[in-house]
């Protein structure tokens, strides 16, 4: 038996309804702030991600689905959305438009990871990018929009982690300082931290052993090393969030997957999730467009995982759509009337279905009841009533709520239902 590939899943109709609802929230919340939808291809030149995400990142090192297109070009299934959107911004000369260019997206992304709850090989992200603005308001607006989306999506127990990364130069200097500090206190660190001082000094902040924790209390923090302008930018973002009543935790160890983040970085986590607690995050990436051979262009954005939002929300699927009318067939004579009637009903704005199987009339009524139909029109019943020629136009209309049933004509069915459901 062939099964869905490891790390993928089918979106069954009940799940699809929840996803559509969430997409509607995104369209409304982001649309209201002037963000416009963009779609980019599912695969891109591999080089875009190597340069746009960063050669040294986990994504590029380990998580990409890369293949040859058969003509010697290397392509990669997109692992994230920001680099492709920056490519599109450059390719379509969007720097000539009024800035910032505000875009949002929702689509499938691919990462070769070990599958587990909340971590898949094909997953969906919704994201927003504001390209061409350097102001702290842009960062704060983006954060507030994601907070609103998570709230609308019903995500429970969220925490916002916030930090600033300054510039890559500040970061490099800080890293050297931290490495030197860890070296000077090496004998007090856990073996695990001590052996990784050069590889990932920041991880020392996450250590749980008493010795390392003690050392890290007094360790230099990147936030204390920011250049004056970067520190001012960060203070402005924080003030805006404070005014907006958005609470956050300063997290000096927050590192984001992309190499080109500058200044503001943030991540929303939910305690309703297990180990994979990150729901969405992002930050400012002022160097990225230039890195991709575009004009120097400041930018900021975020991406959130649809599956994790739904997991963290744990909400039941939305109620199924009501069915206004089910057209049942008493005899094959009624086929054309049934077909026409259900189509006319849909064109009149009703939710209408017709019998598509060969059920007995009793079976059809049971089915209509099961799908929650408010009215059932029984057609093809003329012959049994002794009406000449089978009377294609004669219909028996049953109100499923009251149980009342009466004979009418096909022409009268739709007006009667419209009066009944919208009195
Ligand atoms: P993580 O730390 O969980 O690996 P990440 O830092 O790689 O997350 P981002 O690249 O920032 O994640 O992607 C934004 C969001 O996309 C994440 O917060 C998460 O909700 C979602 N996401 C990332 N990778 C996956 C995946 N493999 N499966 C499902 N959702 C994912
Ligand atoms: Mg990851």
């Amino acid at each position: 038996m062939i099964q869905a590939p490891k790390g993928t899943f089918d979106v069954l109709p009940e799940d699809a309804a929840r996803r559509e609802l969430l997409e509607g929230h995104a369209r409304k919340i982001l649309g209201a702030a002037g963000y416009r939808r963009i779609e980019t291809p599912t695969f891109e030149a591999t080089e875009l991600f190597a340069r746009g995400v960063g050669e040294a990142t986990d994504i590029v090192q380990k998580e990409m689905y890369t293949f040859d297109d058969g003509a010697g070009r290397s392509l990669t299934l997109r692992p994230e959305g920001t680099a492709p959107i920056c490519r599109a911004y450059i390719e379509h000369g969007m720097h000539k438009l009024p800035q910032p260019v505000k875009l949002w997206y929702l689509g499938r992304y691919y990462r070769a990871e070990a599958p587990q709850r909340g971590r898949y090989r094909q997953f969906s992200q919704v994201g927003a990018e504001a390209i061409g603005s350097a102001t702290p308001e842009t960062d704060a607006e983006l954060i507030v929009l994601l907070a609103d989306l998570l709230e609308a999506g019903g995500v429970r127990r969220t925490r916002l982690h916030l930090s600033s990364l300054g510039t890559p130069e500040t970061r490099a200097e800080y890293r050297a300082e931290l490495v030197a500090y860890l070296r000077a206190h090496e004998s007090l660190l856990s073996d695990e931290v001590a052996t990784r001082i050069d590889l990932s000094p920041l991880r020392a902040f996450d250590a749980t052993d008493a010795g390392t924790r003690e050392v890290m209390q007094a360790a230099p923090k990147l936030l204390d090393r920011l250049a004056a302008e970067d520190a001012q930018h960060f203070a402005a973002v924080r003030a805006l969030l404070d005014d907006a009543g958005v609470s956050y935790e300063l997290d000096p160890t927050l590192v984001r997957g992309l190499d080109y983040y500058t200044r503001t970085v943030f991540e929303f986590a939910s305690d309703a999730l297990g180990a994979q607690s990150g729901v969405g995050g992002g930050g400012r990436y002022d160097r990225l467009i230039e890195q991709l051979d575009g004009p120097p262009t400041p930018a900021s954005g975020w991406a959130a995982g649809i599956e994790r939002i739904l997991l963290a929300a744990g909400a039941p699927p939305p109620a199924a759509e009501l069915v206004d009318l089910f057209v049942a067939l008493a005899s094959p004579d009624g086929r054309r009337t049934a077909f026409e009637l259900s189509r006319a009903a849909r064109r009149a704005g009703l939710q209408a279905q017709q019998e598509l199987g060969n059920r007995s009339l009793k079976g059809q009524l049971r089915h209509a009841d099961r799908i929650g139909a408010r009215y059932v029109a029984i057609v093809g019943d003329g012959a049994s009533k002794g009406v000449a020629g089978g009377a294609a136009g004669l219909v028996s209309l049953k109100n499923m709520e009251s149980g009342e049933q009466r004979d009418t004509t096909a022409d009268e069915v739709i007006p009667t239902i419209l009066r009944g459901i919208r009195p």
Side-chain angles (χ1 to χ4, degrees):
M1 195 179 71
I2 300 173
Q3 295 188 321
K6 196 174 159 195
T8 70
F9 52 86
D10 298 306
V11 177
L12 300 176
E14 310 84 77
D15 309 327
R18 295 184 67 201
R19 297 168 80 97
E20 275 167 21
L21 203 64
L22 186 56
E23 178 167 348
H25 292 314
R27 185 179 306 114
K28 198 159 159 238
I29 290 167
L30 297 168
Y35 289 73
R36 299 172 72 208
R37 181 102 183 227
I38 183 168
E39 285 182 35
T40 60
T42 305
F43 52 84
E44 296 268 0
T46 301
E47 194 195 349
L48 173 64
F49 301 112
R51 281 164 61 190
V53 179
E55 286 283 9
T57 58
D58 274 1
I59 290 181
V60 173
Q61 288 286 313
K62 303 186 247 180
E63 298 174 1
M64 298 208 302
Y65 285 104
T66 295
F67 57 97
D68 188 293
D69 74 346
R73 279 175 295 261
S74 178
L75 298 175
T76 292
L77 293 182
R78 59 184 185 186
E80 60 93 48
T82 302
I85 287 173
C86 291
R87 192 236 348 107
Y89 177 93
I90 298 166
E91 190 170 327
H92 300 285
M94 291 191 218
H95 63 279
K96 293 188 215 108
L97 301 173
Q99 305 292 299
V101 174
K102 295 183 285 186
L103 303 166
W104 77 276
Y105 60 89
L106 192 155
R108 303 285 196 181
Y109 294 85
Y110 303 85
R111 296 186 192 176
E113 306 201 70
Q116 49 193 291
R117 185 178 142 92
R119 190 180 294 288
Y120 311 102
R121 292 180 173 175
Q122 175 180 279
F123 59 100
S124 303
Q125 282 186 342
V126 55
E129 317 283 358
I131 307 179
S133 166
T135 66
E137 285 77 10
T138 308
D139 302 9
E141 175 178 280
L142 280 159
I143 293 171
V144 165
L145 289 170
L146 180 51
D148 287 349
L149 176 62
L150 297 181
E151 190 187 325
V155 176
R156 298 161 300 161
R157 294 155 67 196
T158 50
R159 280 175 288 115
L160 169 59
H161 299 263
L162 182 71
S163 192
S164 173
L165 296 179
T167 61
E169 293 76 26
T170 305
R171 238 146 49 220
E173 281 166 30
Y174 165 73
R175 192 181 201 277
E177 184 188 353
L178 181 62
V179 167
Y181 175 84
L182 292 172
R183 284 258 169 273
H185 298 82
E186 203 169 335
S187 60
L188 302 169
L189 302 173
S190 73
D191 288 351
E192 205 195 324
V193 172
T195 52
R196 297 172 61 94
I197 290 180
D198 288 305
L199 210 61
S200 47
L202 278 169
R203 288 275 157 86
F205 283 105
D206 300 330
T208 48
D209 65 284
T212 307
R213 287 184 70 120
E214 172 102 37
V215 172
M216 297 322 286
Q217 294 262 308
K221 307 280 186 316
L222 175 59
L223 280 177
D224 299 326
R225 297 291 183 272
L226 297 183
E229 287 191 344
D230 297 333
Q232 263 165 32
H233 182 99
F234 192 47
V237 172
R238 292 178 56 182
L240 290 163
L241 293 178
D242 291 340
D243 289 351
V246 176
S247 52
Y248 51 83
E249 301 159 29
L250 283 188
D251 183 347
T253 64
L254 188 61
V255 278
R256 301 281 315 150
L258 295 177
D259 266 2
Y260 303 106
Y261 275 113
T262 47
R263 296 189 161 175
T264 319
V265 286
F266 59 93
E267 184 170 76
F268 284 88
S270 168
D271 291 334
L273 294 170
Q276 269 58 62
S277 63
V279 184
R284 180 159 278 288
Y285 50 93
D286 290 343
R287 307 282 180 101
L288 181 52
I289 305 256
E290 203 175 354
Q291 189 70 35
L292 296 173
D293 300 327
T297 309
S300 197
W302 52 254
I306 296 289
E307 292 78 17
R308 287 199 203 163
I309 292 177
L310 294 175
L311 277 172
E321 284 278 2
L322 280 176
V323 179
D324 300 312
L325 171 65
F326 183 79
V327 184
L329 270 179
S331 81
D333 302 352
R335 282 226 153 90
R336 290 170 64 184
T337 309
F339 191 85
E340 277 173 36
L341 180 57
S342 48
R343 177 164 190 253
R346 289 190 293 265
R347 287 165 76 102
L350 297 174
Q351 311 268 351
Q353 301 183 28
Q354 62 174 320
E355 167 65 5
L356 292 174
N358 282 315
R359 275 176 280 240
S360 68
L361 186 56
K362 208 170 145 206
Q364 292 177 57
L365 288 169
R366 211 180 301 125
H367 176 70
D369 193 43
R370 200 175 300 138
I371 62 173
R374 301 166 87 171
Y375 288 87
V376 177
I378 303 163
V379 304
D381 202 19
S384 68
K385 295 210 159 76
V387 179
L394 186 73
V395 172
S396 194
L397 187 62
K398 179 168 183 181
N399 180 329
M400 297 293 275
E401 243 162 66
S402 65
E404 175 206 349
Q405 182 169 348
R406 62 189 181 84
D407 289 343
T408 178
T409 60
D411 292 344
E412 267 309 304
V413 168
I414 294 169
T416 306
I417 296 176
L418 286 173
R419 276 196 304 273
I421 63 172
R422 291 172 208 146

